[in-house]
Amino acid sequence: MLTAYEDTPLGSMVLDNKYNLPDEETTTQMFKLIDNYLESKGFYRYELSNWAKNGFKCKHNLFYWTDQYFLGIGVSAWSYIGNKRFGNTKNLTEYFEMVYKGEKPVKFRETLSEEDSRFEKIMLGLRLKEGIDVNFIKNKEILKELEKEGFGIIKENKFSLTQDGLMLINQIITKLF
């Protein structure tokens, strides 16, 4: 689903009332229509807004969503190792100058706390069709409530969101965390 970020041309157009995004109900109907249609054509949703046929999931993105370590090399590349995330400069000239001098071209560094890591596992895991391990959630009653309301499913020690739950993913993440 499209997000109109402020610092983008579309975001500016939305802020200036030159373009209107569809309302929440229309967005929900469109999402369900696309999800059902693609499923009828042999695609399945494996992530919030990604569908694929068996064996063709995007391995690149799955590294982010499944908390795997990765090393990015090059301009604007990002890496995640242990509890550290770091990103290289976006400026090509600066990148080459730093590498030529033997310096690391890293411009952003972040160390994730245990709580930050837990939040990311919940947030990213709920985007996936298979969901998250129920043990990530301290209050299991919330999961039962969400299941009863039709927003989630608990199966084989995993909690995943239904179509309706996906439409409220941000509110559900906040509730769970």
Side-chain angles (χ1 to χ4, degrees):
M1 290 170 276
L2 186 62
T3 302
Y5 292 103
E6 290 179 24
D7 59 345
T8 65
L10 178 61
S12 297
M13 289 171 36
V14 169
L15 286 172
D16 295 340
N17 290 319
K18 293 179 181 172
Y19 184 81
N20 295 315
L21 292 172
D23 61 44
E24 192 174 316
E25 185 178 326
T26 303
T27 302
T28 299
Q29 289 172 351
M30 291 167 60
F31 177 83
K32 288 180 177 182
L33 179 71
I34 291 166
D35 191 31
N36 293 333
Y37 176 78
L38 289 172
E39 189 175 302
S40 76
K41 297 298 179 186
F43 291 83
Y44 68 98
R45 185 184 51 75
Y46 66 96
E47 193 268 340
L48 176 63
S49 57
N50 288 289
W51 290 260
K53 290 198 172 189
N54 282 329
F56 291 96
K57 292 180 187 176
C58 178
K59 292 178 184 175
H60 171 83
N61 288 349
L62 284 171
F63 262 73
Y64 304 131
W65 300 323
T66 57
D67 198 34
Q68 301 295 309
Y69 298 159
F70 55 90
L71 178 64
I73 300 170
V75 176
S76 295
W78 284 86
S79 302
Y80 174 64
I81 299 170
N83 64 340
K84 299 190 184 323
R85 182 180 295 133
F86 47 98
N88 291 345
T89 179
K90 296 177 182 181
N91 182 298
L92 185 61
T93 304
E94 182 180 32
Y95 177 85
F96 282 126
E97 286 173 358
M98 292 177 81
V99 170
Y100 183 73
K101 292 178 192 174
E103 299 172 8
K104 292 181 181 175
V106 174
K107 284 294 181 177
F108 176 87
R109 295 176 196 278
E110 176 181 38
T111 300
L112 299 174
S113 68
E114 255 185 67
E115 203 66 3
D116 290 338
S117 292
R118 186 172 156 271
F119 175 78
E120 285 195 3
K121 283 178 183 170
I122 292 169
M123 177 196 55
L124 296 172
L126 283 178
R127 294 178 61 91
L128 297 172
K129 184 81 171 179
E130 57 264 13
I132 58 171
D133 187 318
V134 294
N135 294 315
F136 284 141
I137 307 303
K138 293 175 182 172
N139 183 349
K140 309 287 188 279
E141 289 305 311
I142 294 173
L143 298 180
K144 290 176 186 172
E145 238 177 75
L146 289 166
E147 186 175 42
K148 185 178 176 187
E149 293 168 354
F151 297 128
I153 298 167
I154 301 170
K155 185 178 178 184
E156 297 177 12
N157 217 33
K158 293 272 193 176
F159 175 78
S160 60
L161 297 176
T162 62
Q163 272 187 342
D164 290 333
L166 287 170
M167 305 314 322
L168 302 172
I169 189 168
N170 291 334
Q171 295 95 308
I172 290 171
I173 289 167
T174 301
K175 193 174 190 176
L176 291 175
F177 198 69

